Each structure stands twice: as C-alpha cells, then as structure tokens.
Amino acid sequence: MQWNSIILSINKGVGLITLNRPQALNALNSELITEINQALDQLERDSNIGCIVITGSEKAFAAGADIKEMVELSFPNIYLDDFFSLADRIGQRRKPIIAAVSGYALGGGCELALMCDFIYCADNAKFALPEVTLGVLPGIGGTQRLTLAVGKAKAMEMCLTARQMGAVEAEQSGLVARVIRKEDLLAETMQAAEKIAEKSLTAVMMIKESINRAFEVSLAEGLRFERRTFHSVFAGSDQKEGMSAFVEKRPAKFTH
C-alpha cells in the first residue's frame, strides 16, 4: 500500500508506524488517522506481528490536530459525521502498542500517545493538552485518559491552563513508563517491543485486556475476569510449551 502520511516497516515481529507529516510537525488530520488505522488493520491481521510501535520525528511526535482542517467546521456536520470517531479505533486494538515520543506531543498528539498501551519518551519530550487556548476541549479522549494516567489534579491543571509537562515530570506522574535519551529512544523502544513479540501472543493479548478491564469494572469483577482468563490459557499449547521450557531449562518456542 502507498502511504502519504506514515511510514510502515516490519522487523522481528514488530510493526513500526512512523508519522510522516514533517511540514505540519505530524499534526493529526483525517488522512493521517485513516492511514494509521489502515496500517493497524494490516498489523492486527498479520499473525507474525506481536507488538506495534508508533513514533514521530525527533522534533515532534505529533504537534496537535490539524487546525486548518477544523476551523470552518460547524456543529451539525461535525456531530452528524461524528468527527474524530475513527481515532477511537486506535485505542481499541488487541495487540500491544507502544508510543515512542520525542519532542512535542501536544493536543491530539498527546491523545494519540495516551491511546497506546504505554509510552516511552525521550528526555526532550513535552506533553500538553492546549485545546482550551482555541476555545475548545480535548476531543479524542484527552480528558479521560490523562485523568486515568495522572489523576484529577494534574489533568485538571493541564487541561485548564495548557501547561506543558516535561519528560521527568511525566515519568514521576505515571504518564510515561520510561524516559530515555533521545538518541536511544527508538532503539530501546524497539528492543522492548521485540521482547514482547517473542512471547505468547495469546498471553500478551489477554494481559492487555485484563489490565484495561481494571479501569472499567469493580475490583471484584476484575479479579473474576483475570482468574477466568488465567484458567483459559491452560486450553492452549503456549502454556504447555512455556511451562515445559521452564522445567527443562530451555527457551520457549511459542506457536500462538
């Protein structure tokens, strides 16, 4: 497939999606969101892919949504078309997705990173939801996912003041999993993704689903879901292979 706004590459069971709108600092527009989803569709169907990475440039992961595309929109049309609803599909994928963020992740770019399962960021990363300065509010999950990640106080402050959060604070607040030197960001992210891709895809997808369930149900219901999911892996060959390999002191060879 020919891509206009992304670059897609595959290596060692990892699909790498690189946002590629340098003239707009990778600002999200309809074409970019569509291509991300098309690439994710392809990677989700490929049984050889065990993990996905989304990244941008060193200067900007994605500097917001494309305001030029939205400035003339009106309520009836944006409501009837359910504008940005296609973006929701990014956060609904079953395979794990890592965001590798360098530079600016602002507005829609921050929201895109939050849709991923966890974030590695470079030491030059800046996160913000500055929509209030445009007279609007985050519309791709920012008020919800940021609050779940960092808590009410910081989410409220960032959304109401448009303050940018740096890499160190982002890690301390639980927004990102690790801060990495920008020169090493992609290499270390890919290394982590390759480790995930080596594991049982069934187990990896079940872990993702179980952790996400913790944000949606009570503790008792979450524990029940986790227990039944744990029981179910004993119906597959990967559990037999993984435990046999451990007992026999050899690397496991998962078949998914």
Side-chain angles (χ1 to χ4, degrees), residues 89-107:
R89 292 191 61 227
I90 298 170
Q92 296 167 354
R93 302 298 175 155
R94 300 179 71 198
K95 292 181 179 178
I97 305 174
I98 308 172
V101 175
S102 181
Y104 294 106
L106 310 180

Side-chain angles (χ1 to χ4, degrees), residues 10-30:
I10 296 173
N11 186 47
K12 296 183 180 180
V14 177
L16 173 62
I17 299 172
T18 303
L19 310 184
N20 188 36
R21 295 190 70 217
Q23 73 286 355
L25 294 179
N26 295 329
L28 304 186
N29 64 0
S30 297

Side-chain angles (χ1 to χ4, degrees), residues 5-7 17-22 25-28 32 36 54-57 60-63 109 112:
S5 298
I6 67 168
I7 299 170
I17 299 172
T18 303
L19 310 184
N20 188 36
R21 295 190 70 217
L25 294 179
N26 295 329
L28 304 186
L32 179 55
I36 292 171
I54 299 179
T55 193
S57 67
F61 176 73
L112 174 60

Side-chain angles (χ1 to χ4, degrees), residues 127-183:
F127 299 89
L129 290 172
E131 285 84 353
V132 69
T133 64
L134 303 175
V136 297
L137 68 155
I140 324 178
T143 62
Q144 306 303 298
R145 292 189 177 97
L146 183 66
T147 304
L148 290 174
V150 304
K152 177 185 175 181
K154 281 190 179 292
M156 195 72 79
E157 181 209 17
M158 288 179 68
C159 289
L160 292 178
T161 69
R163 179 177 73 84
Q164 293 185 6
M165 177 183 284
V168 173
E169 184 184 359
E171 183 180 31
Q172 292 172 344
S173 301
L175 177 59
V176 306
R178 286 177 58 196
V179 178
I180 302 167
R181 288 198 322 159
K182 67 179 179 180
E183 296 84 358

